[in-house]
């Protein structure tokens, strides 16, 4: 079965510090991968998505970046965090078949102080 | 990408049937309609997906009229545990998936 991992679960960082969130998927190959951010408990904002290694599409201009160094690894980074980067970050992959079902990881709660 | 519009919130009582309607006026021929459920501090969970007419599973039903410009998620006999945010998505082939603001359903005893 497929599993998606995210870490860390929670993170508190000062403004201006760097960020690295990691997401890995097990049990599937060549998945489409996604990073979302959810602020104030509502509305998932799509940040990045990737259809393959090294292929990243950015949806929102900001101080975040994403990389996909391996088929089942997706990393979200920032060189300098802003207060507005606080939120709940979710990684997801999609299963394309009878149903195009998106599976989400457990999420990372980021607080920037 | 087709934009979706849903009510911001809905209230219901235990045991009632709840219908949440989503508008997607510029849906494309190849687009599917998918609904997700999200509880606080968790990622969304797939509920149901359809292309046209009616789809039913053990959790919900999805009604899609012939013009496909809207869809209705039907939750039979809701319970307190159905209190959550429900999102409607229109997507094609699993590319860029955009979530709207969703509908916050509150089920009361």
């Amino acid at each position: 079965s497929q599993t998606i991992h995210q870490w860390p679960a929670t993170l508190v960082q000062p403004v201006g510090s760097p960020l690295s969130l990691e997401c890995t998927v097990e049990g599937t190959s060549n998945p489409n991968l996604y990073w979302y951010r959810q602020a104030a408990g509502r509305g998932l904002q799509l940040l990045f998505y990737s259809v393959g290694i090294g292929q990243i599409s950015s949806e929102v201009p900001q101080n975040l970046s994403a990389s996909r160094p391996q088929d089942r690894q997706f990393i979200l980074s920032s060189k300098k965090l802003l207060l507005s980067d606080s939120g709940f970050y979710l990684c997801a992959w999609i299963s394309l078949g009878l149903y195009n079902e998106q599976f989400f990881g457990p999420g990372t709660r980021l607080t920037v102080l | 990408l087709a934009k979706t519009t849903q009510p911001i919130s809905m209230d219901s009582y235990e045991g009632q049937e709840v219908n949440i309607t989503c508008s997607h006026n510029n849906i494309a021929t190849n687009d599917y309609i998918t609904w997700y459920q999200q509880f606080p501090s968790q990622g969304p969970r797939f509920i149901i997906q359809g292309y046209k007419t009616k789809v039913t599973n053990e959790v919900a039903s999805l009604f899609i009229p012939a013009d496909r410009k809207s869809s209705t998620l039907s939750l039979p006999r809701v319970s307190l545990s159905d209190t959550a945010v429900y999102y409607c998505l229109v997507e094609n082939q699993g590319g860029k998936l955009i979530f709207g603001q969703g509908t916050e359903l509150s089920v009361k005893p």
Side-chain angles (χ1 to χ4, degrees):
Chain A
S1 62
Q2 299 86 5
T3 307
I4 182 166
H5 302 279
Q6 279 187 251
W7 62 90
T10 60
L11 191 60
V12 180
Q13 292 284 95
V15 170
S17 64
L19 173 74
S20 181
L21 302 181
E22 188 163 345
C23 169
T24 59
V25 181
E26 296 178 358
T28 187
S29 59
N30 196 29
N32 285 5
L33 296 173
Y34 303 79
W35 277 112
Y36 291 90
R37 177 172 62 198
Q38 188 168 39
R42 287 287 300 273
L44 280 80
Q45 180 185 33
L46 178 63
L47 302 175
F48 302 95
Y49 74 101
S50 170
V51 298
I53 296 174
Q55 301 179 60
I56 309 293
S57 295
S58 175
E59 291 303 305
V60 182
Q62 57 209 334
N63 67 320
L64 300 174
S65 62
S67 61
R68 185 168 177 176
Q70 300 180 43
D71 181 43
R72 289 170 287 179
Q73 184 184 32
F74 204 21
I75 298 172
L76 182 70
S77 304
S78 174
K79 293 182 179 179
K80 290 185 177 182
L81 284 169
L82 306 173
L83 287 174
S84 58
D85 290 324
S86 293
F88 189 45
Y89 287 81
L90 289 159
C91 178
W93 73 279
I94 194 164
S95 171
L96 301 178
L98 180 61
Y99 299 108
N100 295 340
E101 182 175 348
Q102 200 171 31
F103 294 91
F104 286 80
T108 296
R109 177 75 61 187
L110 172 66
T111 303
V112 182
L113 301 175
Chain B
L1 288 176
K3 180 181 177 181
T4 60
T5 303
Q6 306 173 232
I8 295 296
S9 63
M10 294 182 68
D11 291 331
S12 182
Y13 291 93
E14 283 190 291
Q16 289 186 334
E17 177 184 78
V18 171
N19 296 308
I20 306 174
T21 298
C22 178
S23 297
H24 26 81
N25 290 320
N26 58 338
I27 188 170
T29 302
N30 294 332
D31 286 339
Y32 284 80
I33 300 156
T34 311
W35 286 79
Y36 285 81
Q37 175 193 55
Q38 187 183 24
F39 298 113
S41 298
Q42 295 183 26
R45 184 176 67 99
F46 175 93
I47 300 175
I48 198 167
Q49 185 180 77
Y51 183 81
K52 61 181 179 180
T53 62
K54 177 183 175 181
V55 179
T56 298
N57 61 23
E58 65 279 4
V59 177
S61 294
L62 178 59
F63 298 91
I64 305 169
D67 65 6
R68 303 200 327 123
K69 293 183 182 299
S70 67
S71 59
T72 299
L73 175 72
S74 181
L75 304 173
R77 298 179 299 281
V78 294
S79 63
L80 296 177
S81 62
D82 292 317
T83 294
V85 178
Y86 293 83
Y87 296 95
C88 162
L89 276 78
V90 174
E91 54 99 356
N92 171 21
Q93 297 297 316
K96 185 165 67 173
L97 301 184
I98 304 294
F99 282 76
Q101 289 300 304
T103 298
E104 187 168 9
L105 173 65
S106 177
V107 180
K108 303 175 182 178

